[in-house]
């Protein structure tokens, strides 16, 4: 259940804008939307919401490779924040890739842990 | 549906979806709660306005009142709202209510707008832990955006698919779908495929209703003006199949006349080739040519005639295996569009639909013919005024009404659910009709003997013992068919419906057996039913009469 919630509350929402923008089509409006996805989710930054939901999963199910990978991606995204807010084209393209990777990974984790798991 | 640009209502407690829609889906109109003309992205308040969409059920109703021409609703599932803004519920867990608020809004929406298309902005995975996905899947007007919830292109395609489905209009024919998940899928897929020009392959066990699906749904929804024709290829001698399908000209062979085949007769309509796996190899090639060219050549003729026929093929055989075994052409198999095949589920896979199916079969079985006459006799004897279709009550005693209500006990329903139903709906049809006929017969006897209480008029219980006997006899018949014991040769001719076909077969079985036992109904009962032959003889005789057979026509067998 927690894994499903993680996929929904973090993965789904942080990939919202990334799903729709080709690598070279970023505008300031879209960059602002992406920043809201990554740093202004309900509950705070995506990385913070992730930690809140991921820790109980790790304490119940042990270390999960999917969580480790997602944490690394989120850390990289946090490091890119300044460049993203400045609409840096390279950073935006990289952030979109990372956001989609986190979403994919968390959905896969939710499927793997399955119904009845934490 | 409006005739202009489709109008979309977004229901989301936050701005996630409305921002995506306003950025990437500008080909639609949006149902706002604002009186200003749209679109929102041209408004000075764009990005700072909360009237762009609905945030809770109250605002949904507000938007629906302002926009009666909404075409599609995009509905979020998780709503982080204060308790007072949630749909009232008996659920005490506030978090759970929030996480399933979209479903609660959907349920309320269905009360006032039962057919309004809704796209739930979530996936099966996200709903799975709440066990809510199955509940949603039976609502054919709901689709899940899944992993593409925020992908505008995929979302646009979903919207278009829902709108296209809505153009189909109401259900085209009386087909009993039930409420099971597998039937909901079949309904959705068959109605979509019906509107294409592709051949359709129906797969399913015997008796599942493939012919009815082809006629009532696929042909009904296709909008084709021509006739619906069905050919059972298993019932035709292989030497006659080509002539039957493609027609003949005078002199084609000895005794041949100028006669159109089924393809010509179905021109402008739909042709069902039932048991397509039985098609002889040489005819398979000709069928392939007809399908590819849209032209048919009668046997003995050299010029082809154009035909416009929607082809539906049905089988309970594994065609892929037949292709591998070399008994079915791979190119014909491909042409039958196996990728878009429709799987008609066995009755045991939709056993929860049993009560609804029984009711429907009962109403149909007593709509005309000898059964209707018997029912009318009972109504007259019982002094019942209403002539409505008989009702079925399952699991509890029938409530009094001015019509006829058969009731099946809960224990009987358990027996029926436990049965494997190898003959599927057709087998159920026979059982229900037979049981009801016996119940009517018993009631008529009671009335004639003056034993029926006026207060019970119209309430006809079907005894648990009778159901057990009938179910047991189905098992015996299945075993008998498998072992070959009591085998008899039956002449099968194509009939207008499967019901008529099965009735024809049943009449032959009764007639043959009646002749073999020299008109002795006790002996006939012994052959057909378990239990006391003397007691069963009356039931067998009643069914004998109901099948239109007459006592005395058969010569007594030599002792």
């Amino acid at each position: 259940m927690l894994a499903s919630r993680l996929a929904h509350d973090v993965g789904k929402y942080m990939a919202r804008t990334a799903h729709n923008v080709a690598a070279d089509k970023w505008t300031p409006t879209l960059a602002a939307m992406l920043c809201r996805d990554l740093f202004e989710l309900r509950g705070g930054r995506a990385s913070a919401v992730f930690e809140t939901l991921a820790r109980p999963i790790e304490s119940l199910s042990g270390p999960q490779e999917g969580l480790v990978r997602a944490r690394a991606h989120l850390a990289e995204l946090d490091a890119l924040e300044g460049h993203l807010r400045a609409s840096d084209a390279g950073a935006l393209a990289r952030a979109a890739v990372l956001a989609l990777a986190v979403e994919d990974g968390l959905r896969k984790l939710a499927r793997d842990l399955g119904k009845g798991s934490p | 549906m409006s005739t202009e640009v489709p109008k979309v209502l977004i229901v989301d407690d936050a701005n996630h979806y409305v921002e995506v829609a306003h950025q990437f889906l500008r080909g639609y109109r949006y149902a706002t709660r604002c009186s200003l003309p749209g679109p929102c992205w041209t408004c000075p308040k764009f990005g700072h306005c909360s009237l762009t969409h609905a945030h809770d059920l109250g605002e949904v109703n507000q938007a629906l009142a302002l926009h009666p021409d909404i075409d599609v609703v995009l509905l979020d599932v998780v709503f982080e709202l204060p308790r007072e803004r949630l749909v009232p519920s008996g659920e005490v867990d506030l978090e759970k209510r929030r996480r399933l608020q979209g479903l609660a809004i959907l349920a309320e929406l269905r009360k006032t707008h039962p057919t309004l298309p809704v796209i739930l902005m979530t996936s099966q995975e996200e709903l799975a832990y709440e066990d809510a996905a199955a509940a949603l899947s039976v609502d054919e007007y709901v689709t899940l955006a899944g992993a593409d919830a925020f992908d505008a292109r995929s979302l646009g395609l979903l919207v278009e698919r829902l709108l296209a489905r809505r153009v189909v209009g109401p259900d085209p024919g009386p087909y009993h779908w039930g409420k099971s998940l597998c039937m909901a899928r079949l309904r959705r897929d068959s109605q979509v495929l019906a509107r294409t020009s592709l051949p359709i392959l129906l797969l399913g066990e015997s008796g599942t209703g493939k012919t009815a699906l082809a006629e009532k749904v696929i042909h009904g929804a296709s909008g084709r003006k021509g006739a619906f024709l069905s050919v059972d290829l298993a019932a035709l001698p292989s030497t006659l199949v080509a002539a039957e399908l493609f027609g003949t000209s005078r002199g084609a062979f000895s005794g041949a006349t100028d006669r159109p085949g089924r393809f010509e007769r179905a021109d402008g309509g739909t042709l069902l080739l039932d048991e397509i796996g039985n098609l002889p190899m040489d005819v398979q090639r000709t069928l392939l040519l007809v399908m590819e060219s849209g032209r048919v050549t009668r046997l003995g003729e050299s010029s082809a005639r154009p035909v416009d026929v929607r082809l539906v093929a049905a089988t309970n055989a594994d065609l892929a295996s037949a292709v591998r075994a070399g008994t079915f052409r791979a190119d014909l198999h491909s042409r039958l569009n196996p990728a878009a095949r429709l799987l008609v589920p066995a009755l045991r896979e939709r056993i929860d639909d049993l009560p609804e199916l029984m009711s429907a079969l009962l109403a149909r079985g007593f709509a005309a013919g000898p059964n209707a006459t018997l029912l009318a006799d009972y109504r007259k004897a019982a002094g019942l005024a209403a002539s409505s279709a008989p009702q079925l009550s399952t699991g509890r005693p029938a409530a009094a009404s001015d019509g006829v209500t058969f009731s099946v006990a809960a224990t009987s329903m358990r027996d029926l659910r436990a049965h494997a139903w190898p003959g599927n709906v057709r087998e159920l049809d026979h059982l229900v009709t037979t049981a009801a006929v016996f119940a009517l017969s018993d009631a008529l006897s009671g009335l004639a003997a003056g034993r029926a209480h006026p207060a019970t008029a119209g309430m006809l219980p079907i005894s648990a013992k009778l159901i057990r006997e009938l179910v047991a006899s189905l098992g015996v018949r299945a075993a008998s068919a498998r072992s070959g014991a009591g085998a008899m040769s039956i002449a099968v001719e194509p009939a207008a419906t499967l019901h008529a076909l099965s009735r024809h077969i049943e009449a032959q079985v009764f007639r043959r057996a009646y002749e073999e036992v020299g008109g002795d109904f006790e002996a006939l009962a012994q052959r057909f039913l378990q239990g006391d032959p003397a007691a069963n003889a009356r039931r067998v005789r009643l069914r004998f009469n109901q099948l239109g057979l007459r006592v005395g026509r058969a010569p007594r067998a030599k002792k």
Side-chain angles (χ1 to χ4, degrees):
Chain A
M1 177 171 160
L2 279 173
S4 295
R5 188 168 172 182
L6 185 60
H8 178 272
D9 290 7
V10 178
K12 179 178 175 178
Y13 287 112
M14 68 179 287
R16 177 186 71 152
T17 309
H19 268 303
N20 293 287
V21 186
D24 58 347
K25 302 290 184 192
W26 289 95
T27 64
T29 305
L30 296 176
M33 271 179 75
L34 179 67
C35 287
R36 286 201 290 280
D37 296 345
L38 301 177
F39 311 120
E40 297 163 35
L41 284 183
R42 188 162 15 217
R45 305 171 70 83
S47 54
V49 182
F50 171 85
E51 289 304 334
T52 305
L53 293 170
R55 280 198 197 109
I57 297 173
E58 288 172 320
S59 66
L60 286 168
S61 303
Q64 299 291 327
E65 195 184 326
L67 293 179
V68 172
R69 242 194 323 265
R71 187 174 279 119
H73 290 333
L74 286 160
E76 187 178 345
L77 284 165
D78 280 347
L80 286 173
E81 182 176 357
H83 299 285
L84 296 174
R85 293 203 183 276
S87 290
D88 178 277
L92 288 165
R94 174 66 182 157
V97 170
L98 291 171
L100 291 173
V102 172
E103 187 198 23
D104 280 348
L106 294 184
R107 279 188 187 280
K108 183 175 183 308
L109 181 77
R111 280 196 300 274
D112 290 347
L113 290 179
K115 200 161 96 170
S117 291
Chain B
M1 192 174 85
S2 60
T3 54
E4 302 174 64
V5 177
K7 185 179 280 186
V8 178
L9 170 64
I10 295 173
V11 188
D12 180 9
D13 60 324
N15 295 328
H16 297 115
Y17 293 109
V18 84
E19 282 184 355
V20 169
H22 286 174
Q23 284 296 336
F24 304 108
L25 291 169
R26 293 191 171 180
Y28 298 105
R29 295 180 298 152
Y30 291 91
T32 68
R33 295 179 294 112
C34 157
S35 56
L36 294 173
C40 289
W41 47 90
T42 63
C43 177
K45 293 182 179 174
F46 183 54
H48 308 283
C49 173
S50 65
L51 299 177
T52 49
H53 63 292
H55 298 78
D56 60 19
L57 179 62
E59 293 183 4
V60 168
N61 291 330
Q62 193 183 346
L64 286 166
L66 278 171
H67 304 273
D69 57 343
I70 289 170
D71 294 294
V72 178
V73 176
L74 303 186
L75 176 59
D76 194 10
V77 174
V78 182
F79 285 71
E80 298 288 344
L81 293 172
R83 185 188 298 270
E84 61 274 14
R85 290 181 67 186
L86 297 174
V87 175
S89 162
E91 173 62 56
V92 292
D93 184 343
L94 181 61
E95 184 60 17
K96 186 172 182 181
R97 284 177 66 189
R98 285 175 173 153
R99 299 202 74 78
L100 290 176
Q101 184 60 194
L103 303 186
I105 291 174
L106 175 64
E108 292 299 311
L109 196 59
R110 280 290 167 260
K111 293 176 186 170
T112 52
H113 296 75
T115 62
L116 182 60
V118 173
I119 295 176
L120 271 180
M121 308 301 289
T122 188
S123 66
Q124 295 279 3
E125 292 104 322
E126 287 160 6
L127 283 175
Y129 68 90
E130 300 287 1
D131 286 327
L136 293 169
S137 301
V138 299
D139 187 338
E140 65 172 312
Y141 295 99
V142 166
T143 192
L144 300 177
D148 299 324
F150 282 126
D151 182 331
R153 277 171 307 179
S154 302
L155 205 51
L157 288 174
L158 273 181
V159 170
E160 294 305 324
R161 193 187 305 166
L162 272 176
L163 292 176
R165 194 184 300 162
R166 213 180 170 196
V167 173
V168 175
D171 208 347
Y175 191 80
H176 302 293
W177 296 104
K179 291 188 167 53
S180 60
L181 179 58
C182 52
M183 290 303 284
R185 286 188 187 129
L186 177 65
R187 180 178 194 165
R188 198 157 46 208
D189 293 347
S190 56
Q191 289 188 333
V192 169
L193 284 176
R195 292 168 36 246
T196 70
S197 58
L198 298 168
I200 294 179
L201 183 58
L202 301 181
L203 302 178
E205 292 179 11
S206 182
T208 48
K210 297 190 290 292
T211 303
L213 181 73
E215 180 175 9
K216 311 279 188 201
V217 180
I218 295 170
H219 178 63
S222 69
R224 299 177 71 86
K225 304 293 182 201
F228 171 84
L229 290 182
S230 163
V231 189
D232 185 351
L233 296 169
L236 283 175
S238 59
T239 50
L240 296 182
V241 172
E244 187 63 31
L245 292 182
F246 311 125
T248 57
S249 66
R250 187 188 300 272
F253 49 81
S254 177
T257 58
D258 281 327
R259 180 171 169 270
R262 299 285 180 122
F263 268 95
E264 282 183 71
R265 288 162 57 199
D267 192 21
T270 305
L271 177 62
L272 169 66
L273 299 182
D274 202 2
E275 300 302 349
I276 186 82
N278 289 49
L279 198 64
M281 281 298 270
D282 55 329
V283 186
Q284 288 180 28
R285 182 175 176 279
T286 315
L287 175 61
L288 184 64
L289 289 173
V290 172
M291 291 175 71
E292 286 176 350
S293 67
R295 301 169 73 82
V296 65
T297 306
R298 291 185 187 181
L299 299 189
E301 279 189 352
S302 55
S303 57
R305 301 160 190 258
V307 286
D308 172 23
V309 173
R310 174 65 181 282
L311 190 71
V312 181
T315 183
N316 60 6
D318 182 355
L319 283 188
S321 296
V323 169
R324 284 194 294 276
T327 57
F328 201 85
R329 291 179 66 109
D331 45 8
L332 178 59
H333 185 237
S334 304
R335 197 72 177 74
L336 290 172
N337 195 23
R341 68 191 184 280
L342 296 173
L343 296 167
V344 187
L347 179 53
R348 61 185 168 279
E349 293 167 25
R350 46 180 303 214
I351 203 69
D352 287 344
D353 289 338
L354 206 58
E356 185 177 329
L357 273 172
M358 289 168 70
S359 292
L361 295 170
L362 190 67
R364 194 182 71 182
F366 284 84
N371 292 346
T373 307
L374 188 66
L375 182 64
D377 288 347
Y378 171 75
R379 284 199 184 105
K380 188 176 175 187
L384 297 170
S387 59
S388 54
Q391 305 292 307
L392 184 75
S393 156
T394 56
R396 58 189 182 284
S401 71
D402 57 352
V404 173
T405 302
F406 295 93
S407 66
V408 178
T411 52
S412 295
M413 289 307 295
R414 278 198 290 277
D415 289 342
L416 294 173
R417 282 173 184 275
H419 184 57
W421 299 107
N424 292 296
V425 177
R426 187 185 300 143
E427 188 179 34
L428 177 66
D429 189 7
H430 289 166
L431 183 139
V432 168
T433 308
T434 307
V437 164
F438 287 153
L440 265 178
S441 168
D442 291 344
L444 269 169
S445 302
L447 283 168
R451 287 192 296 272
H453 192 284
T456 62
M459 297 158 65
L460 302 177
I462 296 176
S463 77
K465 180 170 178 290
L466 174 60
I467 294 286
R468 271 198 305 276
E469 285 173 2
L470 290 173
V471 170
S473 74
L474 294 174
V476 168
R477 278 207 291 270
S480 174
R482 279 194 297 274
S483 68
M488 62 174 70
S489 172
I490 299 293
V492 179
E493 294 172 2
T497 64
L498 283 179
H499 184 72
L501 176 69
S502 56
R503 188 182 172 85
H504 177 64
I505 293 170
E506 191 183 3
Q508 288 185 70
V509 171
F510 266 78
R511 189 186 301 118
R512 297 281 184 83
Y514 178 77
E515 290 169 0
E516 288 173 14
V517 298
D520 183 345
F521 281 101
E522 265 193 42
L524 203 58
Q526 197 162 17
R527 182 174 287 203
F528 285 162
L529 294 174
Q530 290 181 326
D532 179 10
N536 287 334
R538 185 172 52 87
R539 291 174 174 158
V540 171
R541 182 170 188 143
L542 189 63
R543 183 63 181 160
F544 183 90
N545 293 333
Q546 190 198 1
L547 288 166
L549 304 174
R550 291 292 172 263
V551 175
R553 288 190 181 176
R556 290 187 73 83
K558 288 179 184 174
K559 299 272 181 178

